[in-house]
């Protein structure tokens, strides 16, 4: 008797698509970066304010010279100790170039300036998920991470443990991410939070 081979139907492959609701094309962008650098010498702030362009100094109001440049568009706070804080940059490279430019301007005024310990202290990112969020429910289900007091501040404050950043979440779907030291932290924090926000999307 002839033996007949059994026909075996191959198992259907597992679906590879993902739920379109879980995908997002939103990408956080850096809106401000704060960096510090030490210029390696003591500075005469009054001399800088008098001789530098675009410089302000009101010692009764604030103990630093405020200096601005247009390219790259940034602001520096320059302290007597030689510490300088650069704000307004949109990237690490932009902050570094701005710091170098400010240092060069101060060197031209006769100070023995060095450029030491350039450090990014804070990055602020912004992103819009394009859907409204139920903030009350989000806060109630994530009490260990969230603070939401709409009578004091319209946004929900989400303190993420890893990466260690703070996210301000607004009912409109706009999110501000602060406290990061590198761009990757902002991207990772948003990716982590986005999956949670989808659970509290207003229908």
């Amino acid at each position: 008797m002839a033996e007949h081979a059994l026909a075996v139907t191959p198992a259907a492959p597992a679906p590879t698509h993902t739920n379109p609701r879980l995908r997002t094309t939103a990408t956080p962008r850096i809106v401000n970066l704060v960096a510090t650098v030490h210029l390696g010498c003591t500075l005469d702030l009054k001399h800088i304010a008098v001789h530098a362009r675009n410089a302000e100094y009101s010692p009764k109001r604030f103990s630093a010279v405020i200096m601005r440049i247009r390219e790259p568009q940034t602001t520096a706070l320059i302290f007597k100790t030689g510490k300088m804080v650069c704000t307004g940059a949109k990237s690490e490279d932009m902050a570094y170039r701005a710091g170098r430019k400010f240092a060069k301007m101060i060197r031209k005024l006769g100070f023995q300036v060095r450029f030491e310990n350039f450090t990014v202290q804070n990055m602020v990112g912004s992103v819009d998920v394009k859907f409204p969020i139920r903030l009350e429910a989000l806060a109630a289900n994530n009490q260990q991470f969230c603070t939401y007091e709409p009578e004091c501040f319209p946004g929900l404050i989400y303190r993420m443990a890893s990466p260690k950043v703070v996210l301000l979440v607004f009912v409109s779907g706009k999110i501000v991410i602060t406290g990061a030291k590198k761009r990757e932290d902002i991207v990772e924090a948003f990716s982590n939070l986005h999956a949670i926000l989808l659970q509290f999307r207003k229908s």
Side-chain angles (χ1 to χ4, degrees), residues 15-192:
T16 57
H17 66 275
T18 57
N19 186 334
R21 287 171 60 89
L22 296 178
R23 294 196 298 263
T24 178
T25 57
T27 302
R29 60 187 181 91
I30 306 299
V31 296
N32 188 25
L33 186 150
V34 179
T36 57
V37 65
H38 203 281
L39 300 177
C41 63
T42 301
L43 301 172
D44 182 340
L45 299 187
K46 187 174 181 180
H47 179 83
I48 294 173
V50 169
H51 294 91
R53 298 179 60 185
N54 301 317
E56 305 171 16
Y57 183 45
S58 301
K60 292 183 179 179
R61 296 174 54 191
F62 189 54
S63 61
V65 168
I66 302 172
M67 188 181 293
R68 296 179 175 86
I69 55 176
R70 292 185 179 179
E71 181 53 43
Q73 189 171 4
T74 47
T75 300
L77 309 178
I78 302 162
F79 295 87
K80 180 180 179 179
T81 59
K83 179 180 178 180
M84 181 168 66
V85 180
C86 295
T87 68
K90 303 296 191 294
S91 69
E92 302 95 318
D93 178 68
M94 184 177 177
Y96 185 84
R97 287 189 292 111
R100 281 287 189 185
K101 192 168 184 177
F102 283 120
K104 184 177 181 181
M105 293 167 65
I106 296 170
R107 186 180 294 114
K108 286 183 176 180
L109 298 178
F111 297 97
Q112 299 300 311
V113 167
R114 298 193 297 273
F115 193 84
E116 301 174 333
N117 302 323
F118 175 85
T119 307
V120 173
Q121 300 292 348
N122 183 27
M123 281 187 179
V124 180
S126 177
V127 65
D128 189 345
V129 296
K130 304 294 186 183
F131 58 78
I133 301 162
R134 295 181 289 119
L135 296 184
E136 296 86 353
L138 174 59
N141 284 269
N142 295 272
Q143 294 182 17
Q144 69 272 40
F145 303 114
C146 295
T147 301
Y148 183 49
E149 299 176 346
E151 65 277 7
C152 299
F153 181 68
L156 177 146
I157 302 171
Y158 191 105
R159 292 179 173 84
M160 188 170 288
S162 181
K164 193 173 182 180
V165 300
V166 175
L167 303 100
L168 309 179
V169 184
F170 297 90
V171 67
S172 64
K174 291 184 178 179
I175 300 169
V176 176
I177 307 165
T178 185
K181 297 291 180 71
K182 52 186 180 180
R183 184 184 302 269
E184 292 79 8
D185 287 347
I186 288 180
V187 173
E188 182 183 352
F190 171 63
S191 177
N192 293 346

